[in-house]
């Protein structure tokens, strides 16, 4: 009927290539990642411009604690919504459409699919968001420079905070992907992700102080914030320790998802 | 070759597949026939390792599907519900699946032409008709040029030309020494496509026979009776050896009695007959008769 197909073994590298094709060929990927970039760049113009217009602040202490990196990368807060949701959709979109059956029939070992999805998405987010955050940083600094309140990339902690913003976003993407793979349901996974990031810290805040002090810094959004802050809050974990704890949430979600993927019916 | 041994699948306390043992041999088209809910799709998912059996096992070419290094070369599958992300184009869908097994892009483009999707290959699957979806599913199944094809209701939604194409494709694959398992809930479809039949009902194997054999054994004569009192006549005629089935137009279809016997019985009971005619059983009726007791949802009969 047709020329014979060349069929070879399923290898991890081939599964990675397949997942890259899947990721780049969906409109939701392009829209979400474009939104993330627009948020970061847009706010890197907006927020420094507003600050420049109202400088110096009325309270001199605000000038003392001024974080020129943070105000350039406010858009990262909004970018995490887009990247977290896309992370969820990468997996739940397959369950919702039935695509997962075709995927698992092609890769019956199953686990390579999950690892490949996580790898491809994390690398994609980093490759796009590291330059975006660096660009946003420089846009912000050029705006702030007219009041001489900018900083330079070589200043201690600055490179870590700028690159850290992109690392944090990749971590959010992995957490979303892990929750999506674990729960197999778009609404449930998105609610869990944002509940964990934004609601749980509020609830913990209302616990007795000794409790909230002990627990609070280990929550994902609190643990993760040190990596992108120029002057990390002294009550929180250090930048890299905190980032490690933050990543641990994503790793736990992915490992549990892997167990579920192997054990449960597709 | 597909071999199932005591294959059983329970979902909670519902038994979908019940101790199924069969062999699907290469070289012939094997029809997997049963009413809706008989466990055909579940069995196919078990063959592909998508669901795990509660008990028993199933192998493809001597190994569980999962254990094959190049699974797409062993089995190509068309699954019941569309297994396609509707936001992706047909070509990209095929490409992503092909890449898992190192299948070249040229093979993807070739199959797009073979299944007749050339004009829509770069359009998103969201807008596809049922028939186009089926063609894409068949292209997916053929990607790895597999030695075994497992197709769940492939003719669903296809136009007559598409149905003829599928039949020829299946026969061609089988005559080339490959294994073909194709499910349907329509006996008439199977009669034209399959050489061998696995008939299931309520998850159990009812028959494992050649199609010709099945048709011959099921070929008992039926009598069509039209009467003013179908319920009364049914009561008069019914014995353990006789089945009375109401047909759509209000007539009764009686198996196990001759026209003479029915006429005499009706006369004795004082029931007026409007029509009394002998007719050969259709395949569909034979199939219905065979699976009647195992139907999950049976309409109340008169």
């Amino acid at each position: 009927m047709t020329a014979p197909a060349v069929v070879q073994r399923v290898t991890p590298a081939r599964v990675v290539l397949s997942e890259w094709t899947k990721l780049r060929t969906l409109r939701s990927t392009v829209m979400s990642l474009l939104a993330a970039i627009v948020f970061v760049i847009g706010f890197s113009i907006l927020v420094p411009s507003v600050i420049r217009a109202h400088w110096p602040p009325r309270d001199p202490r605000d000038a003392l604690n001024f974080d020129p990196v943070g105000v350039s990368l406010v858009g990262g807060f909004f970018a995490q919504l887009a990247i977290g949701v896309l992370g969820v959709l990468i997996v739940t979109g397959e369950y919702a459409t039935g695509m997962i059956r075709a995927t698992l029939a092609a890769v019956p070992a199953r686990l390579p699919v999950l690892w490949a999805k996580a790898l491809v998405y994390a690398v994609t987010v980093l490759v796009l968001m590291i330059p975006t955050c660096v660009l946003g940083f420089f846009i912000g600094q050029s705006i702030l420079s007219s009041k001489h309140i900018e900083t330079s990339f070589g200043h201690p902690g600055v490179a870590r905070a700028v690159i850290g913003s992109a690392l944090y976003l990749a971590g959010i993407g992995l957490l979303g992907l892990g929750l999506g793979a674990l729960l197999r349901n778009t609404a449930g996974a998105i609610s869990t992700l944002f509940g964990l990031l934004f609601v749980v810290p509020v609830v913990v805040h209302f616990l007795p102080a000794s409790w909230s002090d002990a627990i609070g810094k280990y929550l994902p959004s609190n643990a993760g914030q040190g990596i992108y802050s120029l002057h990390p809050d002294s009550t929180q974990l250090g930048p890299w320790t905190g980032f490690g704890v933050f990543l641990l949430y994503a790793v736990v979600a992915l490992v549990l998802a892997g167990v579920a993927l192997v054990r449960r019916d597709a | 070759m597909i071999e199932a041994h005591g294959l059983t699948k329970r979902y909670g306390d519902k038994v979908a597949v019940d101790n199924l043992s069969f062999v699907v041999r290469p070289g012939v088209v094997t029809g997997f026939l049963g009413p809706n809910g008989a466990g055909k799709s579940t069995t196919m998912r078990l063959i592909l390792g998508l669901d795990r059996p509660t008990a028993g096992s199933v192998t493809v070419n001597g190994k569980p599907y999962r254990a094959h290094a190049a699974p797409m070369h062993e089995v190509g599958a068309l699954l019941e519900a569309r297994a396609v992300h509707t936001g992706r184009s047909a070509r990209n869908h095929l490409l992503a699946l092909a890449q898992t097994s190192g299948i070249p892009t040229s093979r993807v483009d070739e199959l797009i032409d073979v299944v007749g999707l050339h004009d829509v290959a770069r359009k998103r699957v969201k807008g596809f008709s049922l028939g186009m979806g089926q063609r894409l599913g068949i292209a997916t199944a053929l990607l790895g040029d597999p030695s075994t094809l497992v197709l769940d209701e492939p003719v669903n939604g296809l136009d007559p030309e598409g149905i003829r194409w599928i039949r020829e494709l299946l026969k061609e694959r089988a005559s080339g020494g490959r294994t073909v398992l194709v499910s349907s809930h329509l006996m008439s479809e199977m009669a034209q496509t399959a050489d061998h039949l696995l008939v299931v009902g309520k998850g159990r194997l009812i028959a494992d026979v050649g199609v010709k054999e099945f048709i011959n054994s099921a070929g008992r004569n039926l009598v069509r009776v039209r009467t003013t009192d179908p319920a009364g006549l049914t009561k008069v005629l019914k014995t353990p050896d006789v089945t009375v089935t109401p047909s759509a137009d209000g007539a009764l279809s009686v198996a196990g009695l001759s026209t003479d016997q029915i006429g005499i019985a009706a006369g004795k009971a004082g029931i007026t007959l409007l029509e009394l005619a002998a007719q050969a059983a259709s395949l569909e009726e034979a199939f219905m008769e065979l699976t009647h007791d195992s139907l999950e949802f049976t309409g109340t009969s008169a």
Side-chain angles (χ1 to χ4, degrees):
Chain A
M1 174 191 66
T2 52
V6 180
V7 187
Q8 295 164 28
R9 308 168 65 93
V10 176
T11 64
R14 293 196 170 113
V15 178
V16 167
L17 177 63
S18 165
E19 288 303 328
W20 164 239
T21 301
K22 282 190 199 167
L23 182 66
R24 70 178 170 81
T25 54
L26 281 182
R27 206 174 281 181
S28 55
T29 304
V30 179
M31 299 303 281
S32 303
L33 294 176
L34 196 65
I37 292 170
V38 168
F39 282 136
V40 171
I41 300 300
F43 280 96
S44 79
I45 299 168
L46 185 69
V47 177
S49 300
V50 171
I51 284 170
R52 179 176 64 178
H54 296 89
W55 194 266
R58 253 177 251 149
D59 188 340
R61 275 175 303 181
D62 285 350
L64 211 65
N65 290 326
F66 182 63
D67 175 355
V69 178
V71 299
S72 312
L73 297 175
V74 170
F77 180 82
F78 299 95
Q80 74 177 328
L81 306 180
I83 286 170
V85 168
L86 181 58
V88 168
L89 285 177
I90 284 170
V91 185
T92 59
E94 290 212 19
Y95 281 97
T97 55
M99 177 70 196
I100 191 71
R101 289 194 295 273
T103 299
L104 298 183
V107 188
R110 296 191 179 191
L111 280 181
V113 172
L114 184 62
W115 309 145
K117 278 185 190 299
L119 178 73
V120 165
Y121 190 45
V123 170
T124 303
V125 171
L126 287 177
V127 164
L128 288 175
M129 296 319 288
I130 288 175
T132 302
C133 291
V134 169
L135 181 64
F137 166 77
F138 282 112
I139 291 173
Q141 302 319 302
S142 75
I143 294 170
L144 296 173
S145 65
S146 68
K147 298 282 181 186
H148 308 292
I149 49 173
E150 82 280 12
T151 185
S152 72
F153 200 72
H155 201 80
V158 171
R160 191 257 307 141
V162 173
I163 306 297
S165 298
L167 289 174
Y168 177 81
L169 290 174
I172 291 287
L174 287 177
L175 184 57
L177 197 149
L179 290 173
L182 186 59
L183 301 174
R184 304 183 173 189
N185 171 285
T186 308
I190 290 176
S191 313
T192 306
L193 175 64
F194 293 145
L196 202 57
L197 289 177
F198 307 127
V199 180
V200 175
V202 175
V203 173
V204 169
H205 186 75
F206 284 108
L207 292 176
S210 61
W211 289 38
S212 67
D213 289 350
I215 304 168
K217 57 186 167 188
Y218 295 104
L219 297 176
S221 45
N222 292 342
Q225 70 177 313
I227 195 76
Y228 60 79
S229 307
L230 187 56
H231 311 298
D233 189 334
S234 58
T235 65
Q236 303 292 351
L237 299 170
W240 292 105
T241 313
F243 187 65
V245 171
F246 168 70
L247 268 191
L248 204 58
Y249 282 91
V251 169
V252 168
L254 284 168
V255 167
L256 292 178
V259 172
L261 184 64
V262 170
R263 290 204 176 163
R264 286 171 63 182
D265 289 342
Chain B
M1 175 117 78
I2 304 171
E3 290 165 279
H5 299 284
L7 198 58
T8 302
K9 181 66 182 178
R10 282 188 211 97
Y11 296 104
D13 54 359
K14 195 179 174 314
V15 182
V17 173
D18 191 359
N19 198 22
L20 219 51
S21 296
F22 59 81
V23 176
V24 182
R25 290 188 173 77
V28 293
V29 175
T30 302
F32 199 22
L33 185 65
N36 289 329
K40 304 187 296 290
S41 299
T42 303
T43 304
M44 290 181 158
R45 282 202 302 275
L46 292 168
I47 293 171
L48 286 165
L50 292 173
D51 286 12
R52 260 167 201 257
T54 310
S57 65
V58 58
T59 59
V60 180
N61 301 332
K63 276 199 245 177
Y65 180 70
R66 248 178 218 225
H68 286 287
M72 289 180 91
H73 192 48
E74 303 295 334
V75 183
L78 168 72
L79 299 164
E80 174 197 36
R82 279 197 213 171
V84 182
H85 196 303
T86 46
R88 208 171 271 124
S89 75
R91 187 174 182 276
N92 285 329
H93 170 75
L94 291 171
L95 186 62
L97 292 173
Q99 285 169 338
T100 61
S101 300
I103 298 167
T105 312
S106 56
R107 170 77 181 169
V108 169
D109 290 325
E110 202 176 287
L111 275 172
I112 286 170
D113 291 342
V114 167
V115 302
L117 286 177
H118 188 82
D119 296 339
V120 292
R122 286 167 196 273
K123 291 210 170 81
R124 291 200 291 166
V125 176
K126 198 166 280 177
F128 277 24
S129 67
L130 186 56
M132 285 149 81
Q134 289 292 82
R135 285 168 185 271
L136 177 57
I138 289 156
T140 309
L142 294 173
L143 265 181
D145 195 23
S147 62
T148 299
L149 271 184
V150 173
L151 308 180
D152 201 355
E153 308 263 357
V155 301
N156 252 2
L158 285 180
D159 50 19
E161 184 241 311
I163 293 174
R164 204 174 61 225
W165 170 69
I166 278 283
R167 280 184 196 145
E168 278 163 17
L169 175 83
L170 297 180
K171 284 179 180 163
E172 194 185 282
R173 304 288 295 190
S175 63
R178 297 169 198 252
T179 306
V180 177
L181 179 65
V182 52
S183 82
S184 178
H185 60 276
L186 296 175
M187 181 61 218
S188 53
E189 176 53 37
M190 289 289 92
Q192 295 185 66
T193 315
D195 307 299
H196 194 86
L197 282 182
L198 295 171
V199 184
V200 288
K202 275 189 183 165
R204 278 192 284 269
L205 192 65
I206 298 174
D208 184 348
V209 291
V211 169
K212 286 200 185 103
E213 211 181 319
F214 177 75
I215 292 170
N216 291 340
S217 72
R220 350 190 216 167
N221 286 341
L222 290 183
V223 178
R224 177 183 157 86
V225 193
R226 212 150 54 78
T227 169
T228 51
D229 181 12
L233 186 64
T234 303
K235 206 183 264 175
V236 169
L237 298 179
K238 217 162 187 177
T239 67
D241 296 333
V242 178
T243 52
V244 183
T245 321
S247 53
D249 63 352
L252 298 173
S253 188
V254 182
L257 291 173
S258 70
T259 46
D260 292 6
Q261 289 170 312
I262 294 169
I264 291 165
K268 273 189 190 157
I271 292 170
T272 309
L273 295 186
L274 305 171
E275 187 183 337
L276 183 61
Q279 52 187 185
S282 76
L283 281 173
E284 219 61 58
E285 284 163 322
F287 168 52
M288 297 263 286
E289 202 176 301
L290 188 61
T291 58
H292 186 80
D293 295 335
S294 64
L295 275 179
E296 195 175 3
F297 311 104
T298 316
T300 42
S301 50

